[in-house]
Amino acid sequence: MNHRDSNETPAGGRLSVARVKAHRFGQRALVATGAIALLGSCATNAPQDTWQPKGPNAKMIDDLQQPVFAVAGIIGIIVSVAIAYVIWRYKDRGQPIPEQTHGKPALEITLTVIPALILAVVGVFTFRVIFDLARTDDTQLVINVTGQQWWWEYDYPVQNEWGITQPIISSGQLVMPAGTKVLLRETSRDVIHSYWIPALNGKRDAVPGRIHTLRLEADEPGIYAGQCTEFCGLSHANMRMEAVALSKEDFASWIANQQAAYQTPAEGTLAKEGEAVFLNQCVRCHQVDGLKRPDGTLAIAAPDENVWSGAAPNLTKLMTRNTFAGAMFDLLRDACRDDVWKADSAEFGAKYLAGVDEACLNVNDLRAWLRNAPEVKPMYANPALLTETNGKYRGMPNLGLSESDIDKLVAYLLTLK
Amino acid sequence: MAGAVGIVAGGIAGQGAGLRSDLAEAAAEGHFLHRECGEEKSKYFDKKAMKTISLRTNPVAIVELRDGVLSAIMTGFNEPQKIVSVPRGNPVTFIFRNFDDAERRMVASLGTAMAAGGEASTEKEGHSDSNETCTQLIPRGAEQALTVTYAKPSIAQEDPLTLTVPGVSGQAIEVVVP
Ligand SMILES: [Cu+2]
């Protein structure tokens, strides 16, 4: 209705020029999208490619989707060619309208039965895969996964057979043993998120109040990238994760180190000063297990009082991870990161277990984060706009730290490994 | 449409039947101000609260009392567990199932370190000063859900956080909050 009305106004002429332009823009956008899709399909470095399964669960899905894709593709081609032929063959060339008939039962029944049969066959295999992927009785290692705006928390329940005698808590990178049936028990602290490591399995929603399970198993040691895949607010696109598979021996070393006691920095070092800044500024949100206040009491974080989701990443072993802030930033400089990512599976474990040291630390991104986190990752952390959340932040706020405090904090954070 | 009318009508009729009137009476008497988490039998008893749990597929753990043994059943663990690990600062739901002949309830200790305002539990109604919360007393074969938020980690607590059943001594499920 608007179009017609506006055409009748004196502005109509200008509008139609605009419409022609819009049309041309649309065409160009379409061509560009097509070209990008085509070129994108040639990418060799595509860590989130669903067509490159790296474990048995993803393989099951792949084995299902390849033939289904082939069948659907062949049918798609037949239908497209038939339509194109009919359009060309029966184009209006001024010929008389042919005799009209109603219905062809034999043809209609055939065209109903054939797709039904195809779908039934696909259905049988699909159901089998669905049930296989839902199995939980063959689990070898359980990891709890909790999503919140905009990062993932992992906690490893006590499992003596893996040497886990006290809970281990981490974020961003899910460390797991290769060749092992790992079961994630997923939930969320705020809105619905979805856990997806394309190389290892399909997606599974993390829903507040519910525990959903997701099987993961990696054939080989390595890093497998993923992405939160349920729109969850401002920084949804920055809510990433990586699954890190280690050999069983390397995983045992990782477990042992995660449970190792806290080492306070030596007196008189910059790191020791950083510990004091941390106690003042950070411990109200971030837990560092074993960290004590000057009076000798354990410092217990209170994210429940400061953060809307009720949690902030546990930083006890920050420098054993390679990423931070929902795997949005690397903790390693590019060269060091490439060294880990491109290591062959025999060397990978040792390189990953080395963690982050001063020479390899991506100090720019970490400093930028400490200087003003909401500037580098969109978060609802503006203190002026927190009435709806009772003054609690979603994400990490800008703490207005001085550069010298940041120096101290970086020195301190480097000791957390 | 007719169905919707039916549901609403049923609801109104059900209310008239007074299933919960004793709960209203209990509230008026201030009954819920002193939470009963021991073996005592409450004067007021919500008998309709059993076998009506819609959370069956997603509790953090199902705690069973069977043949005198208390254990936690969790998806992913093939054996019944004595330790349950739950995320900190997030409501978690346990289901308690009683297979004992006596009427039993499950009690969750909430620890000495609680969130600001002394609230370790999501249940906001006033209750006793002891740091615990519990289900109703339920007969054999019944089940109850209990939702708890543990705001502080286990390391902040003087004693381990537990799930226990009064009258069943020497047994506890430990709740670990990382
Ligand atoms: Cu998300």
Side-chain angles (χ1 to χ4, degrees), chain A residues 150 152 192-194 228 230 232 236 239:
Chain A
W150 288 276
W152 294 97
I192 301 178
H193 302 275
S194 187
C228 174
E230 181 65 59
C232 58
H236 166 63
M239 183 167 170

Side-chain angles (χ1 to χ4, degrees), chain B residues 18-41:
Chain B
L19 291 177
R20 309 225 158 203
S21 63
D22 54 341
L23 293 183
E25 194 184 308
E29 257 183 42
H31 173 78
F32 298 114
L33 292 179
H34 52 94
R35 182 170 282 258
E36 294 165 328
C37 279
E39 280 182 82
E40 66 274 23
K41 219 174 185 157

Side-chain angles (χ1 to χ4, degrees), chain A residues 93-327:
Chain A
R93 297 183 180 87
Q95 68 270 53
I97 293 176
E99 188 198 338
Q100 302 291 296
T101 59
H102 180 78
K104 267 220 168 28
L107 187 68
E108 283 171 18
I109 290 171
T110 320
L111 286 183
T112 306
V113 169
I114 292 177
L117 283 176
I118 294 176
L119 289 179
V121 172
V122 171
V124 167
F125 288 101
T126 305
F127 270 99
R128 246 189 27 204
V129 170
I130 288 175
F131 281 98
D132 284 346
L133 288 176
R135 278 185 70 187
T136 58
D137 56 355
D138 54 353
T139 304
Q140 294 170 294
L141 173 71
V142 173
I143 305 174
N144 293 333
V145 175
T146 310
Q148 54 265 292
Q149 291 168 325
W150 288 276
W151 55 285
W152 294 97
E153 179 180 88
Y154 308 112
D155 81 76
Y156 296 67
V158 169
Q159 283 159 98
N160 293 316
E161 61 278 28
W162 290 99
I164 308 174
T165 54
Q166 66 192 60
I168 293 171
I169 187 157
S170 174
S171 61
Q173 284 187 322
L174 173 89
V175 178
M176 60 186 226
T180 302
K181 293 185 173 53
V182 176
L183 189 75
L184 307 187
R185 287 168 49 100
E186 291 180 18
T187 189
S188 161
R189 284 194 171 92
D190 39 38
V191 298
I192 301 178
H193 302 275
S194 187
Y195 201 85
W196 191 32
I197 307 277
L200 301 184
N201 201 340
K203 311 167 177 184
R204 186 62 38 90
D205 278 11
V207 180
R210 301 183 66 108
I211 305 286
H212 290 173
T213 58
L214 177 68
R215 298 163 65 91
L216 284 190
E217 179 173 355
D219 291 333
E220 295 290 326
I223 302 187
Y224 306 96
Q227 170 80 49
C228 174
T229 176
E230 181 65 59
F231 181 68
C232 58
L234 204 52
S235 253
H236 166 63
N238 300 320
M239 183 167 170
R240 300 199 231 149
M241 59 278 205
E242 286 166 8
V244 179
L246 297 174
S247 70
K248 294 220 173 63
E249 303 74 58
D250 289 336
F251 183 68
S253 321
W254 183 83
I255 290 284
N257 182 51
Q258 295 291 311
Q259 298 178 114
Y262 177 71
Q263 300 281 333
T264 186
E267 284 306 326
T269 56
L270 196 63
K272 188 71 189 174
E273 290 178 48
E275 189 188 57
V277 178
F278 192 88
L279 279 166
N280 279 332
Q281 295 280 358
C282 320
V283 105
R284 65 192 165 103
C285 293
H286 292 289
Q287 185 71 42
V288 168
D289 296 341
L291 170 61
K292 292 201 169 111
R293 295 185 189 281
D295 65 4
T297 56
L298 275 180
I300 302 296
D304 46 303
E305 292 161 31
N306 296 294
V307 185
W308 178 244
S309 66
N314 185 307
L315 301 181
T316 311
K317 299 284 171 182
L318 174 68
M319 293 294 162
T320 64
R321 327 202 253 266
N322 288 355
T323 63
F324 70 101

